[in-house]
Amino acid sequence: MPSDVEAVAEQVFTALADPTRRSILAALASGGPATATDLAGRLPITRQAIAKHLALLTDTGLVTAEPGERRRVRYRLRSAPMQVAQQFLAALARNWDGPLDALKDHLEGRSG
Amino acid sequence: MAFPDRIERVVEIASAPPTVWAALTTAEGLGGWFGDRATIDLRPGGSAQVTWDDGPTADLRVERVEEPTVFGFTWHIYGLPEGDTRRTYVEFTLEPLDAGTRLHVVESGFAQLSDDDHLKAFDGNTRGWDSELGDLVAYLGAA
């Protein structure tokens, strides 16, 4: 599991860049913890492919594996790495250029 | 460092510092360029609200008031969940020029927590809704 914010953010963005992993993460986010079998029933992806991606997501700390019912492994989304990545996006999403242009127009327009 | 902690901008404005100061620190000023409406209690610890007609309201906490040179506030980090307590600090510094003001804007704190702190702070939340829903079920069951 990566230990610095840079690496954590990179893991999240790498995971999200793949459409299969993105759909697995989206399913866990919207529906809560699920087994590979549950996910295979909901997504147009084979159980084998889902299991492979879940193993990778577990290695990178984006999901955790836990015991579920009938001795099946359940996977749960971990919010911490997502929040690190979100922090990164927050800096990119902050728009100061627009407001500062507006401030300049507001003052200079008024003062002629 | 690739992870951006700070955003910095400098803009030169053809108005004297007191005019720029008023635009930054009064309800009328903030409502004129930043949002569509604003309220402000201009003192350290005071709160301010900037509202956009087509969207959200930003809650600001005034931190530094040194008229007409430094105005600082903290606010919620855009995009993080409502309950997240992390805030960024925005500081405006006004520098007088012969024909106006050089305005510096620095917003810092996007990478304010170390990963360890961060994971500690959020590991407690990884159970999130499931355990809260479990608590609710237990609570209702006991009632």
Side-chain angles (χ1 to χ4, degrees), chain A residues 1 59 90 94 96 98:
Chain A
M1 199 178 297
D59 284 348
R94 175 71 82 215
W96 273 114

Side-chain angles (χ1 to χ4, degrees), chain A residues 50-103:
Chain A
I50 286 172
K52 185 192 83 179
H53 286 297
L54 282 170
L56 193 144
L57 291 168
T58 306
D59 284 348
T60 55
L62 303 187
V63 305
T64 49
E66 61 188 25
E69 285 164 21
R70 284 170 294 159
R71 304 174 60 203
R72 293 230 175 91
V73 179
R74 261 192 346 164
Y75 296 87
R76 175 190 295 268
L77 191 64
R78 286 188 71 240
S79 59
M82 310 306 166
Q83 304 229 5
V84 170
Q86 216 170 13
Q87 218 174 347
F88 187 97
L89 289 176
L92 303 185
R94 175 71 82 215
N95 174 17
W96 273 114
D97 299 311
L100 290 175
D101 285 348
L103 172 64

Side-chain angles (χ1 to χ4, degrees), chain A residues 1-6 8-9 32-33 66 74 76-104 106-108 110-111, chain B residues 2-4 7 9 11-15 19-20 23-24 29 32-34 75-81 84 86 88 90 92 103 105 107 109-113 115 118-119 122-123 126-127 130:
Chain A
M1 199 178 297
S3 61
D4 65 274
V5 288
E6 191 75 48
V8 171
E66 61 188 25
R74 261 192 346 164
R76 175 190 295 268
L77 191 64
R78 286 188 71 240
S79 59
M82 310 306 166
Q83 304 229 5
V84 170
Q86 216 170 13
Q87 218 174 347
F88 187 97
L89 289 176
L92 303 185
R94 175 71 82 215
N95 174 17
W96 273 114
D97 299 311
L100 290 175
D101 285 348
L103 172 64
K104 210 170 146 64
H106 176 71
L107 291 174
E108 293 178 355
R110 180 187 291 177
S111 60
Chain B
F3 197 106
I7 292 174
R9 294 289 189 277
V11 58
E12 290 185 6
I13 299 169
S15 302
T19 307
V20 177
L24 298 174
W33 65 276
F34 199 27
W75 61 354
H76 179 74
I77 299 179
Y78 180 78
L80 297 194
D84 195 305
R86 285 174 290 169
T88 48
V90 177
F92 291 98
L103 178 67
V105 186
E107 179 167 11
F110 287 101
Q112 62 193 283
L113 291 181
D115 188 51
H118 186 87
L119 295 179
F122 284 92
D123 266 358
T126 52
R127 302 244 150 231
D130 269 19

